Amino acid sequence: MTDHDTMLAPEDVERFGADPRATFRANLASVEDRIARACARAGRARSSVRLLPITKTVPANVLRFAHAAGISAFGENKIQEAMTKRESLGDLDIDWSIVGHLQTNKVKYLTRFAREFHALDSLRLADRLNKRLEREDGFLDVYVQVNTSGEESKYGLHPDALLPFVDTLAQFQRLRPRGLMTLALFSLDMTEVRRCFVLLRELRDKAVEHNAGLTELSMGMTGDFEVAIEEGATVVRVGQAIFGKRPTPDNYYWPA
Ligand SMILES: *Cc1c(COP(=O)(O)O)cnc(C)c1O
């Protein structure tokens, strides 16, 4: 990497520290420790939970430090932001995941480079993805997003719509259904948050009978990943605990 590639803007120094690699290493160690302790509490093996670091708003040049600190999978909410970064980081070996809502007209960008997609929530989108992948002779790991909080602002299928949806997924041969994904209620009331995770787990148990591939549970973020692990999460999507507080408000990602 060149000096130019790793030059930090003053606001980036403020957010990530003068030595972002050290910052990310320390944050990662702390998140790892919390994951290990949640696994121990739940009697689960650490290897049963995958940490997916979420890098939205982290600039591409700063992501070079994250990569140097040992992070090689990045999850992005918005496809445009992911594409821009991927272009800047083309020399690094990175697994890209898209975890946010995708418009059908953006499908071709995603299939070009993403390894997995965590926000599948309509048959129209499944059909578009599948057609595109047929043309490119590719495959994509997908997670079906379910709205477990009942909030209108959250994307995802209504829980009652899941099983019929799952039955039709099998016809899309280019999609590899891996599991279910949810965003819990944004609340400090952990009883309410936990209820969302329990619901997703119960839905997964039912869905497994319909589609053998749907075993994973992508749930848990900075504010609630330990509770998610206690309730069975197999993928936790963690951003701010690793990369610091985001400058953008949450409603930029989850419109009210
Ligand atoms: C941003 C984001 C996360 C991570 O949120 P943090 O609060 O930064 O941990 C998880 N899932 C999705 C879909 C996101 O967009």
Side-chain angles (χ1 to χ4, degrees):
M1 65 178 97
T2 65
D3 285 350
H4 175 76
D5 281 340
T6 54
M7 202 105 82
L8 293 176
E11 66 270 22
D12 290 341
V13 174
E14 200 175 312
R15 179 175 172 195
F16 305 106
D19 183 356
R21 183 183 350 190
T23 306
F24 297 150
R25 278 224 181 98
N27 290 353
L28 201 53
S30 149
V31 169
E32 276 296 338
D33 185 53
R34 289 166 59 188
I35 290 175
R37 277 187 285 159
C39 284
R41 274 201 302 281
R44 302 182 54 193
R46 169 63 188 88
S47 58
S48 67
V49 181
R50 169 162 63 107
L51 169 62
L52 175 58
I54 304 295
T55 51
K56 60 187 192 238
T57 76
V58 183
N61 62 334
V62 176
L63 284 182
R64 288 189 177 277
F65 292 100
H67 193 266
I71 301 173
S72 60
F74 296 163
E76 287 281 340
N77 184 291
K78 292 183 186 289
I79 187 75
Q80 191 64 50
E81 183 176 344
M83 283 167 62
T84 310
K85 289 179 193 174
R86 186 213 174 213
E87 208 146 286
S88 310
L89 302 174
D91 56 313
L92 301 182
D93 195 10
I94 292 166
D95 276 336
W96 294 94
S97 300
I98 300 298
V99 299
H101 182 71
L102 185 74
Q103 290 171 299
T104 46
N105 62 356
K106 304 266 173 67
V107 156
K108 60 177 179 288
Y109 304 121
L110 184 143
T111 55
R112 245 175 242 163
F113 72 99
R115 202 191 62 152
E116 57 177 25
F117 175 50
H118 284 236
L120 183 63
D121 63 356
S122 78
L123 287 178
R124 199 164 102 91
L125 185 56
D127 184 53
R128 292 286 178 87
L129 284 165
N130 193 65
K131 287 210 172 86
R132 189 77 207 176
L133 290 159
E134 270 173 2
R135 219 188 296 173
E136 294 167 2
D137 195 21
F139 292 89
L140 181 69
D141 286 359
V142 294
Y143 290 70
V144 180
Q145 184 172 356
V146 181
N147 183 339
T148 54
S149 70
E151 293 166 291
E152 272 181 40
S153 62
K154 299 275 172 66
Y155 293 108
L157 295 173
H158 187 280
D160 293 345
L162 179 66
L163 292 186
F165 183 88
V166 161
D167 283 334
T168 50
L169 259 191
Q171 75 187 62
F172 302 112
Q173 301 203 343
R174 297 283 162 165
L175 303 181
R176 294 181 170 138
R178 291 301 190 208
L180 306 183
M181 178 273 214
T182 203
L183 294 158
L185 192 73
F186 292 131
S187 167
L188 294 176
D189 181 349
M190 281 299 146
T191 312
E192 291 297 317
V193 171
R194 189 180 293 272
R195 203 196 305 278
C196 297
F197 296 144
V198 169
L199 175 57
L200 197 73
R201 186 187 64 224
E202 290 173 351
L203 287 169
R204 188 272 315 268
D205 293 345
K206 284 186 198 148
V208 162
E209 293 167 20
H210 286 241
N211 188 319
L214 285 166
T215 54
E216 307 279 328
L217 287 172
S218 169
M219 58 189 199
M221 307 166 39
T222 289
D224 55 21
F225 70 83
E226 287 142 306
V227 178
I229 290 170
E230 288 168 14
E231 296 304 338
T234 63
V235 184
V236 289
R237 310 178 309 270
V238 180
Q240 296 178 94
I242 303 171
F243 300 108
K245 193 169 155 42
R246 262 190 303 280
T248 44
D250 275 349
N251 68 11
Y252 181 67
Y253 301 95
W254 303 283

